Structures are given as structure tokens and as C-alpha cells.
Amino acid sequence: MSDKNRTELNEARFDDPNIKQESKSAIVPPLPTNTWYGEAISILYGFVVVNIPINSFLSFSPQVIMFSIWQLTLFVNLFIKFKNKLKANNQENNYNWAFYITFTFFIVQGLFEPDLGSSIRHKAGIFPLIYFILFYDVKK
């Protein structure tokens, strides 16, 4: 799955000299994705790199570093709110579904995103849901 969506696209970008400079944030899995274990590692690696992009601090591109700081802050805040929600054991279905849909979207993003730039573009579609989760307690 990720071989067709991520690896082939990134290889085409690396081969084109006009785009190579723009592909600094490409997600390149550590193992070849043509085996079942390589594909499994690629899926987990993609999830971690898209949602917890610690390794992107090695890129000296300011926009990649800003995305990494934003994404780490967002993921930690969502994780803490979800943990507190589970401890409170409230049965507010809308709030629960907002978490489920958001985290499912993050998992799917880890599978299909070829680079961090497209990650932020696709995440823009669920900004209202993220806003709802982050500021639900304030509005209440």
C-alpha cells in the first residue's frame, strides 16, 4: 500500500532535478517496502514521522521545523486531552467521536502521506474537529 502511494511518488521526485530541492520533507521508510515486514515497518514509520516528527528537526528548513513544533504540540495536547477524557469516563458521544475520527485520520495519514507538506494540507480539512477537541472545555 505505501509502496504505491509513498515510495514511488518520492522516487519520482528525487529523480527530477527541478523538484529535488522541494522534497526535503519526504518520508522515506528505513526498509524497502516490497516485503510484508518492510511494508509493516513503513506503515509504523509513516505514522510516527507524520504525527511525532522528531527526526525532522535535523532538516534545517525553517518551515519543516515550524511544522514539527506545531505537530508535536498538537499531538501532545490531543493525547493529554484524550487521556483525561478516558479518566473522567464521561459518556459524551460527540466528544468521543471527535477523538476517534481525529486519531483515525492521523493513522490513515501515516499510511499515505508522501511528505510533511502534504500532511499539513490534508490535515487542514479536519481543523474544525481539532478546534472542537482543543476548546470543548472552554465553550462548555
Side-chain angles (χ1 to χ4, degrees):
M1 291 174 80
S2 67
D3 186 44
K4 296 282 183 201
N5 296 305
R6 181 184 304 140
T7 308
E8 287 182 5
L9 179 63
N10 284 336
E11 286 175 358
R13 287 179 178 174
F14 291 140
D15 292 339
D16 188 357
N18 298 328
I19 304 176
K20 188 170 185 169
Q21 186 66 6
E22 297 174 3
S23 61
K24 290 180 183 178
S25 67
I27 299 171
V28 181
L31 295 175
T33 56
N34 56 359
T35 61
W36 68 268
Y37 56 86
E39 183 69 28
I41 296 295
S42 173
I43 291 169
L44 291 174
Y45 181 78
F47 173 75
V48 171
V49 169
V50 168
N51 296 304
I52 310 169
I54 295 171
N55 65 344
S56 62
F57 286 112
L58 301 175
S59 167
F60 296 109
S61 176
Q63 60 268 35
V64 174
I65 292 173
M66 287 305 296
F67 167 78
S68 300
I69 292 169
W70 175 79
Q71 182 61 38
L72 282 171
T73 305
L74 175 68
F75 193 77
V76 168
N77 282 334
L78 290 176
F79 187 77
I80 289 171
K81 286 203 174 265
F82 188 60
K83 184 179 81 166
N84 292 340
K85 173 76 174 103
L86 290 177
K87 280 184 181 177
N89 201 14
N90 295 343
Q91 296 299 324
E92 300 174 45
N93 285 335
N94 291 338
Y95 198 48
N96 289 345
W97 278 107
F99 278 112
Y100 299 151
I101 292 169
T102 302
F103 285 129
T104 302
F105 184 83
F106 288 171
I107 291 168
V108 171
Q109 260 194 324
L111 177 63
F112 293 111
E113 294 298 342
D115 60 8
L116 298 178
S118 59
S119 170
I120 191 71
R121 279 190 302 257
H122 296 145
K123 200 167 281 164
I126 63 165
F127 279 165
L129 195 57
I130 292 171
Y131 180 84
F132 174 75
I133 291 172
L134 291 177
F135 297 109
Y136 179 77
D137 297 337
V138 174
K139 291 182 178 185
K140 199 173 178 184

